[in-house]
């Protein structure tokens, strides 16, 4: 079952900040790191993210359980770079026929992996410590986002556990009909594709019915709405966004001082 609720300690200093402030701080911190392709700046950024993790009320084990897809994706990035990278400069570390691993390839792969992790981890922290309903309310009240968009996104987010349950039901239904891939990897891949397509079709149909039902209940955004849960944007929330910008600038400054800064453009 996919959990869409917050898993952090709600009383932690940064966990109780305004959801829009946390989202803005994550965006500022992440996109600042896109300015460079060197491995030093994202490495410093990851160190900062891990250092502030207790302030969000999260444990390192919880973060690992939430971020394991990123780790798997990182391995895929390294493998892809080793196999298909055009730049093979530097000392040769491994020469096995068509596969040539050099220090230049590993440096490029390391920089890309660290940058992906540094950009993605703030988002993981935000959604692991924010209730989706509070986020939708804050987007409407503080960011002036259309209520139609915010409430529609909230409804879609709440449906994620249903997708996981439906995936399991589709698998059990196919096995009950005698459709099983066994140990054949090609048959497993084909079965995975068929199940994913069936899940996609079901999700589209359910989303269409949900959109019609929400419009029928007045969620179309054309009617003025009152606020039941007030989300206040305080001075501490502004300080969080400013602090994220300062820390991202510090990571870039360390890279510049060490002489490893490589601008993405130029």
């Amino acid at each position: 079952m996919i959990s869409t609720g917050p898993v952090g300690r709600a009383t932690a200093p940064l966990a109780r900040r305004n959801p829009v402030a946390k989202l803005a701080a994550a965006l500022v911190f992440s996109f600042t790191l896109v300015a460079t392709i060197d491995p030093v700046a994202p490495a410093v950024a990851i160190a900062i993210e891990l250092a502030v993790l207790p302030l969000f009320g999260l444990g390192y084990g919880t973060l690992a359980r939430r971020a394991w897809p990123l780790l798997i994706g990182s391995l895929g990035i390294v493998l892809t770079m080793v196999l298909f990278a055009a730049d093979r400069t530097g000392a040769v570390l491994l020469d096995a026929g068509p596969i040539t691993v050099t220090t230049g390839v590993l440096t490029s792969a390391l920089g890309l992996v660290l940058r992906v992790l540094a950009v993605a981890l703030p988002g993981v922290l935000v959604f692991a410590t924010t209730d989706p309903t509070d986020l939708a309310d804050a987007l409407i009240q503080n960011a002036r986002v259309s209520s139609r968009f915010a409430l529609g996104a909230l409804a879609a987010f709440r449906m994620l556990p249903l997708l996981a349950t439906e995936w399991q039901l589709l698998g059990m239904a196919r096995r009950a009909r005698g459709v099983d891939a066994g140990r054949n990897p090609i048959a497993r891949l084909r079965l995975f594709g068929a199940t994913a397509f069936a899940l996609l079709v079901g999700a589209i149909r359910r989303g269409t019915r949900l959109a019609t039902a929400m419009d029928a209940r007045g969620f179309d955004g054309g009617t003025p709405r009152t606020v039941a849960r007030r989300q206040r944007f305080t001075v501490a929330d502004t300080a969080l966004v400013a602090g994220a910008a300062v820390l991202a600038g510090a990571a870039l400054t360390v890279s510049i001082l060490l002489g490893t800064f490589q601008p993405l453009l130029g």
Side-chain angles (χ1 to χ4, degrees):
M1 179 68 71
I2 299 176
S3 174
T4 59
V7 296
R9 184 164 44 87
T11 57
L14 297 184
R16 62 173 185 262
R17 296 272 61 82
N18 185 285
V20 168
K22 289 190 286 185
L23 185 60
L27 292 175
V28 168
F29 190 82
S30 299
F31 284 103
T32 304
L33 300 174
V34 180
T36 179
I37 59 175
D38 75 286
V40 174
V44 174
I46 292 175
I48 293 173
E49 292 162 2
L50 295 179
V52 302
L53 188 63
L55 298 178
F56 282 93
L58 290 174
Y60 294 100
T62 302
L63 178 63
R65 288 191 294 271
R66 283 283 178 130
W68 67 264
L70 294 176
L71 301 178
I72 296 178
S74 299
L75 294 177
I77 291 174
V78 173
L79 181 60
T80 301
M81 293 289 290
V82 168
L83 293 178
F84 303 110
D87 184 12
R88 301 286 175 174
T89 58
V92 177
L93 302 177
L94 175 64
D95 189 0
I99 301 177
T100 303
V101 181
T102 65
T103 55
V105 171
L106 291 183
T107 300
S108 300
L110 178 62
L112 184 56
V113 166
L114 291 177
R115 195 157 65 253
V116 168
L117 293 175
V119 169
L121 282 180
V124 175
L125 294 180
V126 170
F127 287 101
T129 59
T130 305
D131 183 83
T133 303
D134 292 338
L135 177 59
D137 289 339
L139 287 173
I140 296 172
Q141 298 174 41
N142 304 128
R144 306 302 180 190
V145 173
S146 168
S147 60
R148 183 184 181 93
F149 170 80
L151 296 175
L154 172 62
F157 199 67
R158 291 294 193 189
M159 290 177 64
L160 285 177
L162 296 179
L163 294 180
T165 302
E166 189 169 347
W167 179 274
Q168 296 175 353
L169 292 176
L170 287 172
M172 291 188 291
R174 291 179 183 275
R175 285 194 296 271
R177 295 186 180 94
V179 181
D180 192 0
R183 297 184 178 180
N184 188 335
I186 298 179
R188 281 180 176 271
L189 184 61
R190 187 178 302 145
L191 182 60
F192 177 86
T195 305
F197 181 75
L199 184 66
L200 176 63
V201 172
I204 293 175
R205 290 174 177 173
R206 185 182 295 109
T208 302
R209 293 194 299 267
L210 178 61
T212 303
M214 291 182 68
D215 281 347
R217 288 168 172 80
F219 288 95
D220 57 356
T223 304
R225 306 183 61 85
T226 57
V227 175
R229 295 171 296 269
R230 176 66 63 182
Q231 297 290 334
R232 303 187 183 279
F233 200 95
T234 64
V235 176
D237 298 316
T238 303
L240 174 61
V241 180
V246 170
L247 291 176
L252 293 180
T253 301
V254 171
S255 174
I256 295 173
L257 294 178
L258 294 179
T260 59
F261 181 77
Q262 301 179 38
L264 181 64
L265 300 177

